[in-house]
Amino acid sequence: MVQLHDQTLRDAHQSVLATRLRTEDMVPICDTMDKVGFHSLEVWGGATFDACIRYLNEDPWERLNTLSEHLPNTPLQMLERAMNIVAYRNFPDDVVKKFIKLAYKNGCDNFRIFDALNDLRNMKVPIETAKKVGGHVQGSLCYTISPVHTVERYVEDFKELEKMGCDSLCIKDMAGMISPTRAYDIIKGCKDAGIKIPIDLHSHNTSGMTGMAYMKACEAGVDILDTSISSLTGATGQPPTESVTAALKDTEFDTGYDMELLMDIREYFNEIWDKYRHLHRSQALRLDPSVTMHQIPGGMLSNLVSQLEKQGAADQYDEVLKEVVKVRKEFGYPTLVTPTSQVVGTQAVMNVKFGRYERITNPTKEYFRGMYGRPPGEISEEMYEKILGPDWEDEVIDERPASLLEPEYKKKKDELEDMGLLRKPEDVLTYTIYPDIGLKFLKGEVEAEFTSDQLPLEKPEEKKTKEKEVVPRVKYPYKGKVKVDGTDYDVKMKDEGTIQVNGKEYNVSVLFPDKKIRPGSSKGKTEAGKNDVPSGEETKIKSPMLGTIIDIKVSPSEKVNAGDPVAILEAMKMENDISAPKDGTIKEIHVKKGEDVEEGTLITTMVG
Ligand code: CO
């Protein structure tokens, strides 16, 4: 007998509806789903935590609690990204432990724990904690294809996970590229090696051969298969729950589930599907067997396409794809899953745009320092030197990355308490894991986005501009008044550097060599006037790509050395330094924290 782990309430809508399924659309069908007798239901973790607070104005902890009330008979599972929990960076041990404890308390029974690099050291603390609180631990390994990801290696690592105390194991094929033979070989390998605990295969329809892989997995002795109800699957979702159940009927692998119940669930979600029609993407519904050639997951591909389109570089798509393959090899074959898919993807885009490793992103440096964990394969000394410089050996860490982090929970708790926002311990974690959007959510400033039911009364564009703080862009020539130190000037700005004052033309830097001047506003724009910025040749530092300025590292008149970061740009889900190209002094800062910038937007000017 094979059992199914149903992903309808987590991965299915993460794969085809941008993770937007609301709790209100889950609750009415819970009773029926609870009757099927699934091995377990995945309902939490992954991207759902982020989506709840960012787009739905829903408390993810309350969702978990509500679902656990309505699904009393089926074990509920969350997807836990080891030390990244439900986000994209490492958190210290105290935060990870607290999170798992509270997840269990709120109704999570099973913890599927994985690390992007399959670095078992990163999985140790979450595994031990989940065991300790009474949870069922499913130790997962990300599936990929590379010369170092051999069947033997998977079997060895799974054996180790069993030793670490896991209750079950999972092959996590997030890109949907596992072939029938590989699925068979890994599962059979595990069984032959004497692994006793159940094995689960998680995959997506992407390659088109997943149904065959599931059948071979059954033949190899798989215990659990991941599926989603057909109404919410498509190409990037899981094989359909009903189809797999029907396929295994009257065989030795029969799940024994009632098809009538599954059809009721299907019908229910067919209607729900329409409610979210504004999120339907044909791309998510189309199979993509090319994944078997380049091993780049569909999610990463669509992310690359949209990023390149925004950067005005859609014509470089093929070049970037080839570069991703090269970069991945040079990085020691990391699995292309969040967050390493972004590290590799962003570096590949930079390599194509600016020349190979001419610009090295922060995450790339962190990756080479070992801050994500141990790369799966060898990395050459030349690569280390290229990324970290001649003293690279001093920079690379040997220990578990999170062991270098200071505890954070107490500090965040105090901060939240001081702000008067602490209502329950869970709030501390929401705030710690997502400091910006989490805080906004806790303050009650997040508005739930529309659903298709509300269309066409409210169009997405209208809603968007309402939610977003509009930063007016200056269109040149600009005409108006400028106030500098209390005096009004009638000005016409022809471009960023040329200004007409009362009909006479000046170069901005000549007219106000020590003033910070900006059209349209006088408040707070003249503070640089109090500082001394030496005159000299001016260098404009511009944004290398489209993104959001998430931090500004310098202030006017501050001295910087070549290579010092002046601002942090978030692009393609990654943080990138924008650095000073030479030694000098910051003259003016043209953007503010939180501002969206385009490629070529002026960030700062410096002299020297
Ligand atoms: Co998945």
mmCIF file with all atom_site columns, all heavy atoms in Angstrom, residues 7 10-12 14-15 42 79 112 172-175 202-204 226 236 238, ligand 1:
data_model
loop_
_atom_site.group_PDB
_atom_site.id
_atom_site.type_symbol
_atom_site.label_atom_id
_atom_site.label_alt_id
_atom_site.label_comp_id
_atom_site.label_asym_id
_atom_site.label_entity_id
_atom_site.label_seq_id
_atom_site.pdbx_PDB_ins_code
_atom_site.Cartn_x
_atom_site.Cartn_y
_atom_site.Cartn_z
_atom_site.occupancy
_atom_site.B_iso_or_equiv
_atom_site.pdbx_formal_charge
_atom_site.auth_seq_id
_atom_site.auth_comp_id
_atom_site.auth_asym_id
_atom_site.auth_atom_id
_atom_site.pdbx_PDB_model_num
ATOM   1   N  N   . GLN A 1 7   ? -0.738 18.011 -1.190  1.00 0.00 ? 7   GLN A N   1
ATOM   2   C  CA  . GLN A 1 7   ? -0.110 19.333 -1.174  1.00 0.00 ? 7   GLN A CA  1
ATOM   3   C  C   . GLN A 1 7   ? -1.071 20.458 -1.563  1.00 0.00 ? 7   GLN A C   1
ATOM   4   O  O   . GLN A 1 7   ? -0.657 21.600 -1.742  1.00 0.00 ? 7   GLN A O   1
ATOM   5   C  CB  . GLN A 1 7   ? 1.067  19.347 -2.170  1.00 0.00 ? 7   GLN A CB  1
ATOM   6   C  CG  . GLN A 1 7   ? 2.313  18.620 -1.704  1.00 0.00 ? 7   GLN A CG  1
ATOM   7   C  CD  . GLN A 1 7   ? 3.141  19.463 -0.754  1.00 0.00 ? 7   GLN A CD  1
ATOM   8   O  OE1 . GLN A 1 7   ? 2.766  20.581 -0.411  1.00 0.00 ? 7   GLN A OE1 1
ATOM   9   N  NE2 . GLN A 1 7   ? 4.274  18.944 -0.319  1.00 0.00 ? 7   GLN A NE2 1
ATOM   10  N  N   . ARG A 1 10  ? -0.788 23.773 0.246   1.00 0.00 ? 10  ARG A N   1
ATOM   11  C  CA  . ARG A 1 10  ? 0.510  24.446 0.329   1.00 0.00 ? 10  ARG A CA  1
ATOM   12  C  C   . ARG A 1 10  ? 1.177  24.557 -1.053  1.00 0.00 ? 10  ARG A C   1
ATOM   13  O  O   . ARG A 1 10  ? 1.102  25.573 -1.705  1.00 0.00 ? 10  ARG A O   1
ATOM   14  C  CB  . ARG A 1 10  ? 1.421  23.738 1.343   1.00 0.00 ? 10  ARG A CB  1
ATOM   15  C  CG  . ARG A 1 10  ? 2.491  24.654 1.968   1.00 0.00 ? 10  ARG A CG  1
ATOM   16  C  CD  . ARG A 1 10  ? 3.694  24.933 1.084   1.00 0.00 ? 10  ARG A CD  1
ATOM   17  N  NE  . ARG A 1 10  ? 4.465  23.736 0.750   1.00 0.00 ? 10  ARG A NE  1
ATOM   18  C  CZ  . ARG A 1 10  ? 5.459  23.733 -0.127  1.00 0.00 ? 10  ARG A CZ  1
ATOM   19  N  NH1 . ARG A 1 10  ? 5.833  24.846 -0.733  1.00 0.00 ? 10  ARG A NH1 1
ATOM   20  N  NH2 . ARG A 1 10  ? 6.088  22.607 -0.427  1.00 0.00 ? 10  ARG A NH2 1
ATOM   21  N  N   . ASP A 1 11  ? 1.802  23.483 -1.509  1.00 0.00 ? 11  ASP A N   1
ATOM   22  C  CA  . ASP A 1 11  ? 2.614  23.603 -2.718  1.00 0.00 ? 11  ASP A CA  1
ATOM   23  C  C   . ASP A 1 11  ? 1.786  23.841 -3.975  1.00 0.00 ? 11  ASP A C   1
ATOM   24  O  O   . ASP A 1 11  ? 2.230  24.525 -4.897  1.00 0.00 ? 11  ASP A O   1
ATOM   25  C  CB  . ASP A 1 11  ? 3.488  22.352 -2.885  1.00 0.00 ? 11  ASP A CB  1
ATOM   26  C  CG  . ASP A 1 11  ? 4.736  22.620 -3.712  1.00 0.00 ? 11  ASP A CG  1
ATOM   27  O  OD1 . ASP A 1 11  ? 4.900  23.764 -4.172  1.00 0.00 ? 11  ASP A OD1 1
ATOM   28  O  OD2 . ASP A 1 11  ? 5.534  21.690 -3.904  1.00 0.00 ? 11  ASP A OD2 1
ATOM   29  N  N   . ALA A 1 12  ? 0.569  23.295 -4.030  1.00 0.00 ? 12  ALA A N   1
ATOM   30  C  CA  . ALA A 1 12  ? -0.243 23.434 -5.248  1.00 0.00 ? 12  ALA A CA  1
ATOM   31  C  C   . ALA A 1 12  ? -0.482 24.904 -5.555  1.00 0.00 ? 12  ALA A C   1
ATOM   32  O  O   . ALA A 1 12  ? -0.191 25.382 -6.648  1.00 0.00 ? 12  ALA A O   1
ATOM   33  C  CB  . ALA A 1 12  ? -1.571 22.707 -5.077  1.00 0.00 ? 12  ALA A CB  1
ATOM   34  N  N   . GLN A 1 14  ? 1.068  27.408 -4.228  1.00 0.00 ? 14  GLN A N   1
ATOM   35  C  CA  . GLN A 1 14  ? 2.365  28.099 -4.363  1.00 0.00 ? 14  GLN A CA  1
ATOM   36  C  C   . GLN A 1 14  ? 2.882  27.945 -5.796  1.00 0.00 ? 14  GLN A C   1
ATOM   37  O  O   . GLN A 1 14  ? 3.501  28.840 -6.348  1.00 0.00 ? 14  GLN A O   1
ATOM   38  C  CB  . GLN A 1 14  ? 3.381  27.522 -3.365  1.00 0.00 ? 14  GLN A CB  1
ATOM   39  C  CG  . GLN A 1 14  ? 4.718  28.268 -3.379  1.00 0.00 ? 14  GLN A CG  1
ATOM   40  C  CD  . GLN A 1 14  ? 5.671  27.810 -2.270  1.00 0.00 ? 14  GLN A CD  1
ATOM   41  O  OE1 . GLN A 1 14  ? 5.247  27.470 -1.174  1.00 0.00 ? 14  GLN A OE1 1
ATOM   42  N  NE2 . GLN A 1 14  ? 6.956  27.814 -2.575  1.00 0.00 ? 14  GLN A NE2 1
ATOM   43  N  N   . SER A 1 15  ? 2.581  26.799 -6.411  1.00 0.00 ? 15  SER A N   1
ATOM   44  C  CA  . SER A 1 15  ? 3.076  26.539 -7.765  1.00 0.00 ? 15  SER A CA  1
ATOM   45  C  C   . SER A 1 15  ? 2.231  27.198 -8.849  1.00 0.00 ? 15  SER A C   1
ATOM   46  O  O   . SER A 1 15  ? 2.764  27.630 -9.864  1.00 0.00 ? 15  SER A O   1
ATOM   47  C  CB  . SER A 1 15  ? 3.115  25.028 -8.018  1.00 0.00 ? 15  SER A CB  1
ATOM   48  O  OG  . SER A 1 15  ? 3.983  24.399 -7.110  1.00 0.00 ? 15  SER A OG  1
ATOM   49  N  N   . GLU A 1 42  ? 0.009  18.793 3.593   1.00 0.00 ? 42  GLU A N   1
ATOM   50  C  CA  . GLU A 1 42  ? 0.941  19.910 3.780   1.00 0.00 ? 42  GLU A CA  1
ATOM   51  C  C   . GLU A 1 42  ? 0.114  21.188 3.721   1.00 0.00 ? 42  GLU A C   1
ATOM   52  O  O   . GLU A 1 42  ? -0.628 21.430 2.767   1.00 0.00 ? 42  GLU A O   1
ATOM   53  C  CB  . GLU A 1 42  ? 2.034  19.906 2.719   1.00 0.00 ? 42  GLU A CB  1
ATOM   54  C  CG  . GLU A 1 42  ? 3.163  20.872 3.088   1.00 0.00 ? 42  GLU A CG  1
ATOM   55  C  CD  . GLU A 1 42  ? 4.520  20.397 2.579   1.00 0.00 ? 42  GLU A CD  1
ATOM   56  O  OE1 . GLU A 1 42  ? 4.888  19.244 2.870   1.00 0.00 ? 42  GLU A OE1 1
ATOM   57  O  OE2 . GLU A 1 42  ? 5.183  21.173 1.889   1.00 0.00 ? 42  GLU A OE2 1
ATOM   58  N  N   . LEU A 1 79  ? 6.596  22.861 5.540   1.00 0.00 ? 79  LEU A N   1
ATOM   59  C  CA  . LEU A 1 79  ? 7.891  22.778 4.870   1.00 0.00 ? 79  LEU A CA  1
ATOM   60  C  C   . LEU A 1 79  ? 8.817  23.781 5.554   1.00 0.00 ? 79  LEU A C   1
ATOM   61  O  O   . LEU A 1 79  ? 8.528  24.983 5.592   1.00 0.00 ? 79  LEU A O   1
ATOM   62  C  CB  . LEU A 1 79  ? 7.746  23.120 3.385   1.00 0.00 ? 79  LEU A CB  1
ATOM   63  C  CG  . LEU A 1 79  ? 9.060  23.083 2.594   1.00 0.00 ? 79  LEU A CG  1
ATOM   64  C  CD1 . LEU A 1 79  ? 9.633  21.675 2.527   1.00 0.00 ? 79  LEU A CD1 1
ATOM   65  C  CD2 . LEU A 1 79  ? 8.865  23.630 1.179   1.00 0.00 ? 79  LEU A CD2 1
ATOM   66  N  N   . ARG A 1 112 ? 8.749  18.818 7.508   1.00 0.00 ? 112 ARG A N   1
ATOM   67  C  CA  . ARG A 1 112 ? 9.633  18.430 6.390   1.00 0.00 ? 112 ARG A CA  1
ATOM   68  C  C   . ARG A 1 112 ? 10.769 19.442 6.385   1.00 0.00 ? 112 ARG A C   1
ATOM   69  O  O   . ARG A 1 112 ? 10.570 20.625 6.091   1.00 0.00 ? 112 ARG A O   1
ATOM   70  C  CB  . ARG A 1 112 ? 8.884  18.439 5.063   1.00 0.00 ? 112 ARG A CB  1
ATOM   71  C  CG  . ARG A 1 112 ? 9.805  18.178 3.876   1.00 0.00 ? 112 ARG A CG  1
ATOM   72  C  CD  . ARG A 1 112 ? 9.031  18.056 2.573   1.00 0.00 ? 112 ARG A CD  1
ATOM   73  N  NE  . ARG A 1 112 ? 8.275  16.816 2.513   1.00 0.00 ? 112 ARG A NE  1
ATOM   74  C  CZ  . ARG A 1 112 ? 7.426  16.519 1.514   1.00 0.00 ? 112 ARG A CZ  1
ATOM   75  N  NH1 . ARG A 1 112 ? 7.236  17.374 0.534   1.00 0.00 ? 112 ARG A NH1 1
ATOM   76  N  NH2 . ARG A 1 112 ? 6.777  15.372 1.523   1.00 0.00 ? 112 ARG A NH2 1
ATOM   77  N  N   . LYS A 1 172 ? 13.125 15.495 -2.398  1.00 0.00 ? 172 LYS A N   1
ATOM   78  C  CA  . LYS A 1 172 ? 12.412 16.721 -2.719  1.00 0.00 ? 172 LYS A CA  1
ATOM   79  C  C   . LYS A 1 172 ? 12.833 17.188 -4.110  1.00 0.00 ? 172 LYS A C   1
ATOM   80  O  O   . LYS A 1 172 ? 13.850 17.860 -4.279  1.00 0.00 ? 172 LYS A O   1
ATOM   81  C  CB  . LYS A 1 172 ? 12.745 17.786 -1.659  1.00 0.00 ? 172 LYS A CB  1
ATOM   82  C  CG  . LYS A 1 172 ? 12.009 19.073 -1.845  1.00 0.00 ? 172 LYS A CG  1
ATOM   83  C  CD  . LYS A 1 172 ? 12.356 20.033 -0.708  1.00 0.00 ? 172 LYS A CD  1
ATOM   84  C  CE  . LYS A 1 172 ? 12.165 21.478 -1.095  1.00 0.00 ? 172 LYS A CE  1
ATOM   85  N  NZ  . LYS A 1 172 ? 10.841 21.807 -1.611  1.00 0.00 ? 172 LYS A NZ  1
ATOM   86  N  N   . ASP A 1 173 ? 12.043 16.805 -5.095  1.00 0.00 ? 173 ASP A N   1
ATOM   87  C  CA  . ASP A 1 173 ? 12.344 17.157 -6.488  1.00 0.00 ? 173 ASP A CA  1
ATOM   88  C  C   . ASP A 1 173 ? 11.544 18.403 -6.842  1.00 0.00 ? 173 ASP A C   1
ATOM   89  O  O   . ASP A 1 173 ? 10.534 18.342 -7.528  1.00 0.00 ? 173 ASP A O   1
ATOM   90  C  CB  . ASP A 1 173 ? 11.980 15.971 -7.395  1.00 0.00 ? 173 ASP A CB  1
ATOM   91  C  CG  . ASP A 1 173 ? 12.134 16.305 -8.864  1.00 0.00 ? 173 ASP A CG  1
ATOM   92  O  OD1 . ASP A 1 173 ? 12.951 17.186 -9.195  1.00 0.00 ? 173 ASP A OD1 1
ATOM   93  O  OD2 . ASP A 1 173 ? 11.423 15.681 -9.678  1.00 0.00 ? 173 ASP A OD2 1
ATOM   94  N  N   . MET A 1 174 ? 12.016 19.543 -6.359  1.00 0.00 ? 174 MET A N   1
ATOM   95  C  CA  . MET A 1 174 ? 11.233 20.775 -6.497  1.00 0.00 ? 174 MET A CA  1
ATOM   96  C  C   . MET A 1 174 ? 11.156 21.261 -7.935  1.00 0.00 ? 174 MET A C   1
ATOM   97  O  O   . MET A 1 174 ? 10.282 22.043 -8.269  1.00 0.00 ? 174 MET A O   1
ATOM   98  C  CB  . MET A 1 174 ? 11.776 21.871 -5.565  1.00 0.00 ? 174 MET A CB  1
ATOM   99  C  CG  . MET A 1 174 ? 13.203 22.295 -5.764  1.00 0.00 ? 174 MET A CG  1
ATOM   100 S  SD  . MET A 1 174 ? 14.373 21.103 -5.066  1.00 0.00 ? 174 MET A SD  1
ATOM   101 C  CE  . MET A 1 174 ? 15.730 21.317 -6.197  1.00 0.00 ? 174 MET A CE  1
ATOM   102 N  N   . ALA A 1 175 ? 12.057 20.801 -8.802  1.00 0.00 ? 175 ALA A N   1
ATOM   103 C  CA  . ALA A 1 175 ? 12.023 21.241 -10.191 1.00 0.00 ? 175 ALA A CA  1
ATOM   104 C  C   . ALA A 1 175 ? 11.227 20.291 -11.077 1.00 0.00 ? 175 ALA A C   1
ATOM   105 O  O   . ALA A 1 175 ? 10.985 20.580 -12.242 1.00 0.00 ? 175 ALA A O   1
ATOM   106 C  CB  . ALA A 1 175 ? 13.444 21.380 -10.724 1.00 0.00 ? 175 ALA A CB  1
ATOM   107 N  N   . HIS A 1 202 ? 8.605  13.632 -3.461  1.00 0.00 ? 202 HIS A N   1
ATOM   108 C  CA  . HIS A 1 202 ? 7.919  14.887 -3.770  1.00 0.00 ? 202 HIS A CA  1
ATOM   109 C  C   . HIS A 1 202 ? 8.387  15.350 -5.138  1.00 0.00 ? 202 HIS A C   1
ATOM   110 O  O   . HIS A 1 202 ? 9.572  15.496 -5.376  1.00 0.00 ? 202 HIS A O   1
ATOM   111 C  CB  . HIS A 1 202 ? 8.285  15.942 -2.723  1.00 0.00 ? 202 HIS A CB  1
ATOM   112 C  CG  . HIS A 1 202 ? 7.808  17.323 -3.076  1.00 0.00 ? 202 HIS A CG  1
ATOM   113 N  ND1 . HIS A 1 202 ? 6.561  17.783 -2.722  1.00 0.00 ? 202 HIS A ND1 1
ATOM   114 C  CD2 . HIS A 1 202 ? 8.391  18.337 -3.774  1.00 0.00 ? 202 HIS A CD2 1
ATOM   115 C  CE1 . HIS A 1 202 ? 6.414  19.025 -3.171  1.00 0.00 ? 202 HIS A CE1 1
ATOM   116 N  NE2 . HIS A 1 202 ? 7.504  19.382 -3.815  1.00 0.00 ? 202 HIS A NE2 1
ATOM   117 N  N   . SER A 1 203 ? 7.432  15.566 -6.049  1.00 0.00 ? 203 SER A N   1
ATOM   118 C  CA  . SER A 1 203 ? 7.841  16.048 -7.367  1.00 0.00 ? 203 SER A CA  1
ATOM   119 C  C   . SER A 1 203 ? 6.767  16.948 -7.967  1.00 0.00 ? 203 SER A C   1
ATOM   120 O  O   . SER A 1 203 ? 5.716  17.170 -7.364  1.00 0.00 ? 203 SER A O   1
ATOM   121 C  CB  . SER A 1 203 ? 8.145  14.871 -8.295  1.00 0.00 ? 203 SER A CB  1
ATOM   122 O  OG  . SER A 1 203 ? 8.673  15.342 -9.516  1.00 0.00 ? 203 SER A OG  1
ATOM   123 N  N   . HIS A 1 204 ? 7.078  17.483 -9.117  1.00 0.00 ? 204 HIS A N   1
ATOM   124 C  CA  . HIS A 1 204 ? 6.158  18.368 -9.847  1.00 0.00 ? 204 HIS A CA  1
ATOM   125 C  C   . HIS A 1 204 ? 5.996  17.814 -11.263 1.00 0.00 ? 204 HIS A C   1
ATOM   126 O  O   . HIS A 1 204 ? 6.868  17.114 -11.760 1.00 0.00 ? 204 HIS A O   1
ATOM   127 C  CB  . HIS A 1 204 ? 6.733  19.781 -9.900  1.00 0.00 ? 204 HIS A CB  1
ATOM   128 C  CG  . HIS A 1 204 ? 6.789  20.448 -8.558  1.00 0.00 ? 204 HIS A CG  1
ATOM   129 N  ND1 . HIS A 1 204 ? 6.029  21.547 -8.244  1.00 0.00 ? 204 HIS A ND1 1
ATOM   130 C  CD2 . HIS A 1 204 ? 7.504  20.174 -7.445  1.00 0.00 ? 204 HIS A CD2 1
ATOM   131 C  CE1 . HIS A 1 204 ? 6.280  21.920 -6.994  1.00 0.00 ? 204 HIS A CE1 1
ATOM   132 N  NE2 . HIS A 1 204 ? 7.181  21.102 -6.484  1.00 0.00 ? 204 HIS A NE2 1
ATOM   133 N  N   . ASP A 1 226 ? 3.762  12.527 -3.089  1.00 0.00 ? 226 ASP A N   1
ATOM   134 C  CA  . ASP A 1 226 ? 3.166  13.855 -2.946  1.00 0.00 ? 226 ASP A CA  1
ATOM   135 C  C   . ASP A 1 226 ? 2.270  14.165 -4.138  1.00 0.00 ? 226 ASP A C   1
ATOM   136 O  O   . ASP A 1 226 ? 2.692  14.035 -5.293  1.00 0.00 ? 226 ASP A O   1
ATOM   137 C  CB  . ASP A 1 226 ? 4.265  14.922 -2.871  1.00 0.00 ? 226 ASP A CB  1
ATOM   138 C  CG  . ASP A 1 226 ? 4.785  15.087 -1.461  1.00 0.00 ? 226 ASP A CG  1
ATOM   139 O  OD1 . ASP A 1 226 ? 4.739  14.109 -0.695  1.00 0.00 ? 226 ASP A OD1 1
ATOM   140 O  OD2 . ASP A 1 226 ? 5.236  16.200 -1.128  1.00 0.00 ? 226 ASP A OD2 1
ATOM   141 N  N   . THR A 1 236 ? 3.228  23.017 -13.253 1.00 0.00 ? 236 THR A N   1
ATOM   142 C  CA  . THR A 1 236 ? 4.219  23.241 -12.208 1.00 0.00 ? 236 THR A CA  1
ATOM   143 C  C   . THR A 1 236 ? 3.766  22.675 -10.866 1.00 0.00 ? 236 THR A C   1
ATOM   144 O  O   . THR A 1 236 ? 4.511  22.694 -9.903  1.00 0.00 ? 236 THR A O   1
ATOM   145 C  CB  . THR A 1 236 ? 4.552  24.738 -12.066 1.00 0.00 ? 236 THR A CB  1
ATOM   146 O  OG1 . THR A 1 236 ? 3.331  25.456 -11.930 1.00 0.00 ? 236 THR A OG1 1
ATOM   147 C  CG2 . THR A 1 236 ? 5.312  25.245 -13.262 1.00 0.00 ? 236 THR A CG2 1
ATOM   148 N  N   . GLN A 1 238 ? 1.815  19.387 -8.527  1.00 0.00 ? 238 GLN A N   1
ATOM   149 C  CA  . GLN A 1 238 ? 2.132  17.971 -8.310  1.00 0.00 ? 238 GLN A CA  1
ATOM   150 C  C   . GLN A 1 238 ? 1.233  17.099 -9.185  1.00 0.00 ? 238 GLN A C   1
ATOM   151 O  O   . GLN A 1 238 ? 0.189  17.545 -9.640  1.00 0.00 ? 238 GLN A O   1
ATOM   152 C  CB  . GLN A 1 238 ? 1.875  17.591 -6.842  1.00 0.00 ? 238 GLN A CB  1
ATOM   153 C  CG  . GLN A 1 238 ? 2.886  18.156 -5.869  1.00 0.00 ? 238 GLN A CG  1
ATOM   154 C  CD  . GLN A 1 238 ? 2.818  19.665 -5.795  1.00 0.00 ? 238 GLN A CD  1
ATOM   155 O  OE1 . GLN A 1 238 ? 1.764  20.242 -5.665  1.00 0.00 ? 238 GLN A OE1 1
ATOM   156 N  NE2 . GLN A 1 238 ? 3.959  20.308 -5.913  1.00 0.00 ? 238 GLN A NE2 1
HETATM 157 CO CO  . CO  B 2 .   ? 7.485  21.449 -4.411  1.00 0.00 ? 1   CO  B CO  1
#
